[in-house]
Amino acid sequence: MAEKSPAADVEAAILAHLNSMGEVPDSRSFASSLGVSHLELESFIKRLSAFSIVDSTDIIKETWVLTDEAKGYAAKGSPEAQLVAAIPPEGSSKDALKAKLGDAFDVGMKAAARNKWIGFEKGNKDLVLRKVESVKDELQEQLKRLENGEPVPDKVIDDLKRRKLITKEKSIWYSLKKGPEFVLKRKTLATDVTSEHLRSGDWKDLEFKDYNYGAQGQPIAKGYVQPLMEVREAIEYIFIMMGFTEMPTNNFVESSFWNFDALFQPQQHPARDSHDTFFLKAPAATRQLPEDYLEKVKQVHESGGYGSKGYGYDWKRDEAEKNLLRTHTTAVSTRMLYKLAQEKPFAPKRYYSIDRVFRNEAVDRTHLAEFHQIEGLICDYGLTLGDLIGVLEDFFSRLGMSKLRFKPAYNPYTEPSMEIFSYHDGLKKWVEVGNSGMFRPEMLLPMGLPEGVNVIAWGLSLERPTMILYGIDNIRDLFGPKVDFNLIKSNPLCRLGL
């Protein structure tokens, strides 16, 4: 092999060879003749091709290459041959051989025993004896042939694959011919005008490299919108277009009174159990509750009123004062409706909220202990179930869900109540997307709202429509510590049916 050529000589050698011979059929052989690596030669080929000085054609071939382990066997011999060579005529203990061979010991023992090259002293399995004077190391020969690019039988390839000594690798090399701009010596083009060029005046004689206006610029450092936040913003826009006002949702900690009792939800309800709700240890209770309203809520629970029999149980204030992480944003709706009832004269309102709620649920692909709830309500005179259905069809059609069905349901604080289903074209089935209903008189009238005022309301999670829009099937990939930031960067913008 010739002495390695300087960089300038490599380019000159390529051009001189093409000038005299017309082509380079194999860039690997040519790199070897120059004494340089193919990787180094490749950089010159690409540079000359960019200037159309040479035309290069890719030659692609998949070849078997040795793993690092196999390269060691090709140099030192197979583990079984190394093992036999390490055994003296009188034999050797396993510990001594393991100390000599290291990682190759276990593989060598199995292969040498299979070849019947070794045996053990009778009654002493720890003493390893040679059964042959010398061995022919076929594995080393096979690996060397493969390393040198020589052909080997398929049976040998299969055996080497089984032993994980070879891997398939795609090799790319080139054949070269003269390009349309071929010259024997490439002229170096200037890329910038320097102050020295201006002082000397030689810029007039320089040839400048063409600007590549199609080249990509440096990536712009920018933030990315989390999918939940993107869908949330779009849904907020829908509410605003429909004339809704956002409710303040900054109270993650709520009292059981506003979360349950004010909604006419009995104190024995399963949802108020610690298996479903996160109760606080400190502060464990609240003392700031509107006394007049609290007495009316207590009365409607115990003995009824406003046309209701109530639940007929002994209502406990201690239970109502327990603090918890709110289980739904309807607690916020209750506060807002109570505040609205104190304003005179009454004025109809449309409210919405989107924020976190917390439930003591087992975490799986579709459930988390905290998630986001979307809620909308309209408070006005004479509202009916027909109004609720009409508003729901308008709201969900703006989300791109035009096929809706409604199913009767039960909620402690709404009557009538409906589950909302939408037809999912991708899944080819109806899926539940929300819940809805009309707030009960037992909830509204103790607040002080006028007779004849009704409230229609609906709610749904933010995560479910986001998962559908982004094609995500595991909620933990969308929200929480396991979110893949590459998903946020690479996902295309989703568009709701606005």
Side-chain angles (χ1 to χ4, degrees):
M1 184 181 288
E3 187 179 345
K4 188 172 180 179
S5 304
D9 293 344
V10 174
E11 183 175 306
I14 296 171
L15 298 175
H17 186 90
L18 288 176
N19 188 53
S20 59
M21 306 300 293
E23 68 172 341
V24 175
D26 185 341
S27 58
R28 294 179 306 174
S29 302
F30 190 69
S32 179
S33 69
L34 294 179
V36 297
S37 69
H38 187 264
L39 186 64
E40 185 177 350
L41 180 69
E42 188 176 29
S43 66
F44 288 98
I45 293 172
K46 289 182 177 179
R47 188 181 306 158
L48 293 171
S49 297
F51 291 106
S52 299
I53 296 173
V54 303
D55 283 335
S56 64
T57 303
D58 294 355
I59 302 172
I60 301 174
K61 186 178 180 182
E62 287 190 333
T63 56
W64 291 104
V65 296
L66 306 188
T67 63
D68 290 339
E69 180 185 2
K71 289 175 182 176
Y73 297 162
K76 300 178 183 178
S78 66
E80 52 267 38
Q82 291 183 52
L83 180 79
V84 173
I87 301 173
E90 67 275 11
S92 178
S93 68
K94 289 182 180 179
D95 289 342
L97 291 173
K98 191 167 187 177
K100 286 182 182 179
L101 300 178
D103 294 338
F105 171 76
D106 290 329
V107 178
M109 281 288 290
K110 292 176 183 177
R114 188 169 54 248
N115 294 340
K116 298 180 180 180
W117 292 350
I118 61 172
F120 300 94
E121 185 179 55
K122 189 173 182 180
N124 184 6
K125 292 291 184 181
D126 187 58
L127 186 63
V128 185
L129 302 172
R130 292 175 61 163
K131 296 177 68 175
V132 292
E133 290 297 324
S134 61
V135 297
K136 183 181 180 182
D137 195 351
E138 293 183 355
L139 177 61
Q140 185 183 34
E141 293 177 3
Q142 293 163 357
L143 294 174
K144 284 185 174 181
R145 285 203 298 270
L146 202 59
E147 195 172 33
N148 294 331
E150 300 173 20
V152 294
D154 291 340
K155 185 177 181 304
V156 173
I157 292 293
D158 292 339
D159 184 56
L160 295 176
K161 281 197 297 180
R162 181 180 56 80
R163 293 184 65 169
K164 297 181 179 179
L165 296 176
I166 56 173
T167 58
K168 187 167 279 190
E169 188 177 87
K170 184 182 287 185
S171 300
I172 302 176
W173 61 95
Y174 309 92
S175 64
L176 308 177
K177 292 184 178 180
K178 293 180 180 179
E181 303 296 329
F182 180 80
V183 290
L184 197 54
K185 182 175 176 57
R186 179 173 63 91
K187 182 183 289 187
T188 302
L189 300 179
T191 55
D192 294 297
V193 178
T194 66
S195 57
E196 182 59 35
H197 292 151
L198 295 174
R199 279 195 297 268
S200 64
D202 63 0
W203 61 270
K204 300 175 184 178
D205 302 318
L206 290 175
E207 286 190 38
F208 289 91
K209 185 178 179 181
D210 292 337
Y211 280 105
N212 182 4
Y213 293 104
Q216 293 289 330
Q218 288 292 324
I220 299 172
K222 61 180 185 238
Y224 296 86
V225 180
Q226 215 275 354
L228 275 175
M229 296 300 100
E230 186 177 7
V231 176
R232 173 179 177 153
E233 184 178 341
I235 291 175
E236 283 182 330
Y237 181 62
I238 291 173
F239 274 119
I240 291 169
M241 285 197 300
M242 294 176 68
F244 284 71
T245 302
E246 186 175 11
M247 296 183 279
T249 57
N250 53 323
N251 282 3
F252 285 0
V253 175
E254 191 56 271
S255 69
S256 293
F257 177 78
W258 292 109
N259 198 84
F260 294 124
D261 295 270
L263 273 70
F264 194 56
Q265 190 160 327
Q267 293 184 339
Q268 315 93 307
H269 195 280
R272 301 178 71 149
D273 189 84
S274 60
H275 293 296
D276 296 295
T277 303
F278 292 108
F279 288 95
L280 269 66
K281 288 185 177 180
T286 182
R287 302 287 183 259
Q288 298 176 348
L289 296 173
E291 293 298 330
D292 291 345
Y293 178 42
L294 183 142
E295 283 301 318
K296 292 178 182 179
V297 170
K298 175 183 177 181
Q299 180 181 345
V300 79
H301 275 252
E302 290 185 338
S303 57
Y306 316 103
S308 170
K309 294 182 179 180
Y311 291 114
Y313 71 96
D314 185 16
W315 186 87
K316 296 181 175 59
R317 180 174 182 136
D318 289 347
E319 191 68 29
E321 289 178 343
K322 288 182 180 178
N323 282 334
L324 48 79
L325 294 178
R326 67 180 178 213
T327 61
H328 50 191
T329 51
T330 314
V332 180
S333 303
T334 310
R335 284 180 175 272
M336 291 301 294
L337 289 172
Y338 174 72
K339 181 181 178 183
L340 177 62
Q342 313 316 303
E343 298 175 0
K344 308 298 181 185
F346 168 79
K349 294 290 184 181
R350 296 184 176 209
Y351 291 127
Y352 82 92
S353 65
I354 306 173
D355 212 336
R356 291 191 193 184
V357 296
F358 308 85
R359 293 183 190 172
N360 192 2
E361 294 188 356
V363 175
D364 57 26
R365 297 178 69 85
T366 56
H367 296 87
L368 289 176
E370 61 175 305
F371 58 95
H372 295 78
Q373 183 176 328
I374 304 165
E375 184 157 336
L377 67 87
I378 301 176
C379 182
D380 202 351
Y381 285 100
L383 293 174
T384 66
L385 189 65
D387 294 311
L388 175 59
I389 292 174
V391 171
L392 291 175
E393 288 177 340
D394 184 14
F395 175 79
F396 281 98
S397 67
R398 294 170 188 257
L399 279 173
M401 303 177 189
S402 56
K403 300 176 184 177
L404 294 182
R405 281 182 180 174
F406 305 98
K407 175 185 174 183
Y410 169 75
N411 286 315
Y413 45 90
T414 57
E415 180 61 38
S417 307
M418 300 185 303
E419 291 175 348
I420 309 163
F421 291 82
S422 173
Y423 187 76
H424 192 291
D425 291 322
L427 299 175
K428 304 297 182 187
K429 66 177 183 179
W430 293 88
V431 296
E432 184 181 353
V433 293
N435 214 322
S436 65
M438 300 183 65
F439 285 145
R440 297 176 65 115
E442 297 97 324
M443 173 185 165
L444 300 179
L445 295 178
M447 295 177 176
L449 287 169
E451 291 275 355
V453 169
N454 294 328
V455 177
I456 58 176
W458 69 98
L460 64 152
S461 77
L462 176 61
E463 283 76 5
R464 178 166 290 186
T466 305
M467 290 171 69
I468 292 172
L469 288 164
Y470 276 86
I472 298 170
D473 62 1
N474 191 327
I475 193 171
R476 289 168 289 194
D477 294 334
L478 178 67
F479 182 69
K482 295 185 177 180
V483 172
D484 181 2
F485 285 99
N486 288 321
L487 175 134
I488 296 174
K489 289 182 179 181
S490 61
N491 251 318
L493 293 175
C494 71
R495 183 173 294 278
L496 304 181
L498 305 179

